[in-house]
């Protein structure tokens, strides 16, 4: 099975496409903590790449992309637009320290309900839609003036680019702050180099990754509770493991329920 996956990836990334890209910058907020980060969607008519960038500065987009290093950040995802639900993520694997693996996520489609409300975002007329994805319910705003079925992170599948998204629980909020069209900046070559050269033993399914991640989260949580002053742990309310992670539940967990 691993040999088939490795061959598929080799054929997919041996030749990468040079084309003008659209670049969308999103401001992403972890609302309860007041934290925010810059995240970027790059796409052309064949492929897309999504990544985050945190440096506490207002570094220009061209500098970020020209000096891009694959080891930075946590949100790194490549997709072919003719197979939009297959997401190739580049992540540090939970049991490998800081070694990066290629994680293949065959994600489910989102069943969107399109509304009738309108609002203007960055000069584009947007329509609202609601849908659920891996444990969170989202309200998003998309524009058919940019007819590509993409958006921030893994939110996609509408007849236009998603420019704003908020989850019902008030944890995550995404909003486009600039759109650069017909850019000569390309998806960084290091992305393709990593995927072409990755060792087959460093290719994992998303389910494997999440199961290991949950074990790591559980270990950290247990250590934190154990380090509390004596007598205090019995009165505390333990938060769900993935309360402040973008995905809280998964389709393979649903299939196990009676």
């Amino acid at each position: 099975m691993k040999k088939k996956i490795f061959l598929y990836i080799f054929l997919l990334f041996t030749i990468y496409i040079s084309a003008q890209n659209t670049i969308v910058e999103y401001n992403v907020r972890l609302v309860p903590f007041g934290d925010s980060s810059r995240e970027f969607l790059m796409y052309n008519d064949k492929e897309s790449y999504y990544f985050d960038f945190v440096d506490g500065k207002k570094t220009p987009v061209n500098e970020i992309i020209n000096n891009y290093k694959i080891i930075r950040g946590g949100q790194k995802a490549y997709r072919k637009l003719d197979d939009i639900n297959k997401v190739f993520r580049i992540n540090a694997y939970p049991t490998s320290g800081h070694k990066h693996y290629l994680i293949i996520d065959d994600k489910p489609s989102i069943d969107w309900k399109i509304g009738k409300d309108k609002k203007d975002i960055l000069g584009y007329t947007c329509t609202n839609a609601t849908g659920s994805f891996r444990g969170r319910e989202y309200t998003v705003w998309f524009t058919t003036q940019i007819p590509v079925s993409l958006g921030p992170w893994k939110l996609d599948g509408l007849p236009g680019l998603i420019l704003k998204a908020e989850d019902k629980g008030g944890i995550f909020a995404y909003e486009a702050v600039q759109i650069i069209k017909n850019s000569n900046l390309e998806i960084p070559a290091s992305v393709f180099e990593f995927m072409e050269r990755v060792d087959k033993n460093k290719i994992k399914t998303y389910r494997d990754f999440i199961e290991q991640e949950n074990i790591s989260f559980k270990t950290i949580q247990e250590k934190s509770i154990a380090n509390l002053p004596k007598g205090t742990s019995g009165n505390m309310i333990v938060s769900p493991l993935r309360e402040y992670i973008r995905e809280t539940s998964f389709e393979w967990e649903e299939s196990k329920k009676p």
Side-chain angles (χ1 to χ4, degrees), residues 28 30-31 34 36 44 59 78 82 104 134 152 159 161 181 192 195 201 225 228 255:
V28 181
L30 185 55
V31 179
S36 65
N44 52 54
T59 306
Y78 174 89
D82 60 0
I104 302 175
R134 287 179 171 164
L161 180 67
K181 292 185 174 181
F192 299 98
M195 292 188 286
N201 293 317
I225 293 172
L228 289 172
S255 65

Side-chain angles (χ1 to χ4, degrees), residues 16 46-47 60 62 76 84 145 174 182-183 220 229 249 257:
Y16 69 88
K46 300 291 184 183
E47 59 195 348
N62 64 314
K76 299 181 283 287
I84 202 168
Q145 292 172 270
Y174 308 76
N182 300 316
S183 173
I220 293 169
S249 62
K257 292 181 180 180

Side-chain angles (χ1 to χ4, degrees), residues 26-31 33-39 53-54 56 173:
Y26 293 94
N27 178 54
V28 181
R29 293 183 295 125
L30 185 55
V31 179
F33 302 103
D35 295 337
S36 65
S37 63
R38 299 171 72 188
E39 300 189 1
F53 184 82
V54 180

Side-chain angles (χ1 to χ4, degrees), residues 99-111:
K99 294 179 181 178
H100 280 67
Y101 280 55
L102 184 62
I103 314 299
I104 302 175
D105 179 9
D106 289 298
K107 74 176 191 66
S109 298
I110 302 172
D111 183 18

Side-chain angles (χ1 to χ4, degrees), residues 149-204:
S149 295
L150 294 171
W153 182 54
K154 298 178 187 176
L155 302 179
D156 55 33
L158 284 162
L161 180 67
I162 297 172
L163 296 184
K164 184 174 182 178
E166 295 177 333
D167 83 279
K168 186 178 179 180
I171 305 297
F172 289 97
Y174 308 76
E175 185 162 2
V177 294
Q178 70 167 323
I179 300 172
I180 304 170
K181 292 185 174 181
N182 300 316
S183 173
N184 290 321
L185 292 168
E186 297 181 354
I187 295 173
S190 58
V191 175
F192 299 98
E193 289 167 1
F194 177 88
M195 292 188 286
E196 288 170 21
R197 299 175 184 177
V198 65
D199 186 282
K200 64 182 179 181
N201 293 317
K202 290 185 178 180
I203 301 171
K204 299 288 185 179

Side-chain angles (χ1 to χ4, degrees), residues 204-217:
K204 299 288 185 179
T205 66
Y206 197 52
R207 179 171 180 171
D208 288 338
F209 174 80
I210 292 299
E211 289 175 350
Q212 288 300 321
E213 188 176 59
N214 282 343
I215 291 171
S216 296
F217 288 159

Side-chain angles (χ1 to χ4, degrees), residues 94-163:
T95 57
S96 70
H98 296 291
K99 294 179 181 178
H100 280 67
Y101 280 55
L102 184 62
I103 314 299
I104 302 175
D105 179 9
D106 289 298
K107 74 176 191 66
S109 298
I110 302 172
D111 183 18
W112 294 108
K113 308 298 182 188
I114 298 176
K116 296 181 180 180
D117 294 340
K118 306 287 183 183
K119 74 162 52 177
D120 182 276
I121 300 174
L122 295 178
Y124 294 94
T125 300
C126 296
T127 303
N128 68 313
T130 56
S132 298
F133 181 69
R134 287 179 171 164
R136 295 194 186 279
E137 296 179 37
Y138 291 93
T139 296
V140 305
W141 296 86
F142 70 96
T143 178
T144 56
Q145 292 172 270
I146 307 178
V148 61
S149 295
L150 294 171
W153 182 54
K154 298 178 187 176
L155 302 179
D156 55 33
L158 284 162
L161 180 67
I162 297 172
L163 296 184

